[in-house]
Amino acid sequence: MKTWHEIRQFPLAVRLLLVNQLGVNTGFYLLIPYLATHLTENLGMSAAVVGIVLGVRNLSQQGLFIIGGSASDRLGARGVIIAGCALRTVGFALFALGDGLPVLLAASVLSGLAGALFNPAVRAYLSQEAGERKAEAFALFNVFATTGALIGPLLGSALLLVDFRTSALTAAGIFAALTVAQALVLPAREVEPSKGGVLADWREVVGNRAFLAFALAMVGMFTLENQLYLLLPEGARQATGWEGAAGLVFLVGTVSNLAFQLRITRSLKSRGSRPRWIAAGLALMGLAFVPPAFATQHTGLLAALPVLLGTLLLYLGVMIASPFVMELIPGFGRPELTGTYFGIFYVVSGIAAAVGNTVVGWAMDTGDRLPWLCCALFGLASAGGVAWLHRRDALPVIPVPVAERSAV
């Protein structure tokens, strides 16, 4: 009930963006997790070709975040969000209608470019609209995103009982509805013109050494978050011998997010500096991989308890760190470059996290406990990096409003 009360206190634009993120993740996860199976089993493509199609989508998104961020700053976040959702509509529709490699590659490029456009733009718009309540806004953003990540696979599994085309068209329909809703409801905001050109903006952001160091320190957060879709579901399956055990990982995340995310953010916001909580959250994310390392295999549902405990700790770490990370990023530079900072942040951390995921994948092929140990080290190393930057006073200081200081 408190969560819904908190939502109503935000402007209409913020509330729409929260619903938007629920829809974005629902549409994305009802299709993408099943795409590889469709390409191999339904279309008879080789693993190499499937890797190309999926890789093109990922590269189009990760490599072009900077474009979406700059477009948000110079053209306005609203138009970029709408364009991104419209492109995702077309891309997912092509997945449904096309069987040839050229069409599938076009669908991958369009859907990846769409994410590169609206991801930094949504965060920039949310940051600007939320004012001093950025942390709470991003906390709610996480709640809606996590809920969509649970609904999407469940809906996708049901739709696949019909066929993949139905699933893809449903995903495209969700993005089409989001595009229309944003065009009708999302208010336009005047864009402050930035001095110089786009390249000058990029040089300014890339030249901010403290910001780049912070983005690299976040490799742990993004690498470990990705294990919610790789290592932890696989650990649950191995521990129980039951394929459905992977769904318990997402269920734990959604329930814990709904129950604790906003409470954690509001409680910690006025207690200590943001970087300390970010470091603490990252450390907890790393320690979350210790219990699953000792899970036994194929001994029933009780064997999944260490994995589910690790999942809960990981989600708690994300709930502690993530809203404050999002709140901190705009503080590194000028407000006119908020979108660019978000865009470059996701490019740098995305590339670093890809390297981290490669290491985890190698460890999964090498030893039973090695991948869990690697993840623990990633989290603790990232926590140490943020703590070191904080000790050097390299991170922005977010002032605590007087009303909140007096409430402590």
Side-chain angles (χ1 to χ4, degrees):
M1 188 64 68
K2 290 183 178 180
T3 299
W4 297 115
H5 176 71
E6 188 77 25
I7 292 171
R8 289 196 297 269
Q9 291 181 344
F10 280 102
L12 177 61
V14 172
R15 283 179 275 163
L16 178 60
L17 292 178
L18 296 177
V19 175
N20 174 78
Q21 193 60 26
L22 174 69
V24 164
N25 275 19
T26 298
F28 181 86
Y29 286 107
L30 77 82
L31 175 70
I32 295 300
Y34 308 104
L35 180 58
T37 302
H38 167 66
L39 297 177
T40 54
E41 296 184 1
N42 297 339
L43 301 185
M45 293 184 171
S46 67
V49 174
V50 172
I52 291 173
V53 173
L54 298 180
V56 165
R57 193 210 67 79
N58 191 60
L59 182 62
S60 299
Q61 180 162 314
Q62 296 291 344
L64 297 177
F65 273 132
I66 188 173
I67 303 297
S70 292
S72 172
D73 290 333
R74 292 183 168 269
L75 303 176
R78 176 182 180 273
V80 177
I81 294 169
I82 295 171
C85 280
L87 283 177
R88 182 63 63 84
T89 302
V90 176
F92 279 14
L94 285 178
F95 277 128
L97 303 175
D99 295 339
L101 183 58
V103 175
L104 293 172
L105 288 175
S108 293
V109 170
L110 288 176
S111 61
L113 176 59
L117 289 176
F118 64 66
N119 278 343
V122 163
R123 285 157 178 81
Y125 198 117
L126 196 65
S127 175
Q128 293 160 356
E129 288 291 313
E132 292 183 344
R133 302 177 65 216
K134 291 182 179 66
E136 289 93 337
F138 282 112
L140 290 169
F141 192 80
N142 283 351
V143 171
F144 278 78
T146 303
T147 304
L150 175 66
I151 295 173
L154 295 176
L155 181 57
S157 297
L159 291 171
L160 283 175
L161 296 175
V162 182
D163 58 20
F164 179 83
R165 178 166 296 181
T166 301
S167 181
L169 289 176
T170 302
I174 291 174
F175 280 97
L178 292 175
T179 303
V180 173
Q182 291 155 2
L184 293 176
V185 180
L186 199 62
R189 295 289 182 260
E190 184 177 350
V191 180
E192 291 290 336
S194 180
K195 300 177 181 178
V198 173
L199 292 179
D201 292 347
W202 294 355
R203 282 194 298 268
E204 179 178 337
V205 176
V206 173
N208 189 327
R209 294 183 179 179
F211 167 71
L212 286 184
F214 179 71
L216 288 172
M218 287 299 103
V219 62
M221 188 174 81
F222 287 95
T223 299
L224 300 190
E225 277 189 293
N226 284 340
Q227 304 319 308
L228 291 167
Y229 309 102
L230 178 62
L231 185 57
L232 285 165
E234 182 61 25
R237 283 190 289 263
Q238 289 183 1
T240 62
W242 175 46
E243 285 295 319
L248 297 176
V249 170
F250 303 108
L251 181 62
V252 167
T254 302
V255 172
S256 60
N257 247 272
L258 289 170
F260 303 124
Q261 174 67 89
L262 190 58
R263 295 180 183 180
I264 288 174
T265 302
R266 294 184 68 179
S267 175
L268 300 182
K269 182 179 177 182
S270 56
R271 292 174 170 85
S273 62
R274 307 296 201 272
R276 288 180 181 174
W277 290 121
I278 293 172
L282 290 168
L284 183 58
M285 290 176 69
L287 294 175
F289 289 85
V290 175
F294 298 96
T296 55
Q297 294 187 1
H298 301 295
T299 56
L301 285 177
L302 288 178
L305 290 180
V307 178
L308 297 181
L309 173 60
T311 300
L312 176 60
L313 293 176
L314 178 60
Y315 270 106
L316 289 173
V318 173
M319 283 186 266
I320 291 170
S322 182
F324 296 135
V325 170
M326 297 295 104
E327 181 188 32
L328 212 60
I329 290 171
F332 279 99
R334 295 184 286 128
E336 298 87 354
L337 294 181
T338 296
T340 304
Y341 270 96
F342 273 112
I344 293 181
F345 174 79
Y346 278 104
V347 169
V348 173
S349 56
I351 293 172
V355 176
N357 287 331
T358 302
V359 173
V360 174
W362 166 81
M364 290 177 70
D365 293 331
T366 304
D368 291 338
R369 292 179 178 172
L370 186 57
W372 307 103
L373 176 61
C374 286
C375 288
L377 291 176
F378 274 127
L380 295 175
S382 287
V386 173
W388 179 75
L389 290 171
H390 179 50
R391 285 196 301 270
R392 291 176 61 87
D393 295 324
L395 302 179
V397 176
I398 306 296
V400 178
V402 176
E404 293 186 15
R405 289 199 298 266
S406 61
V408 177

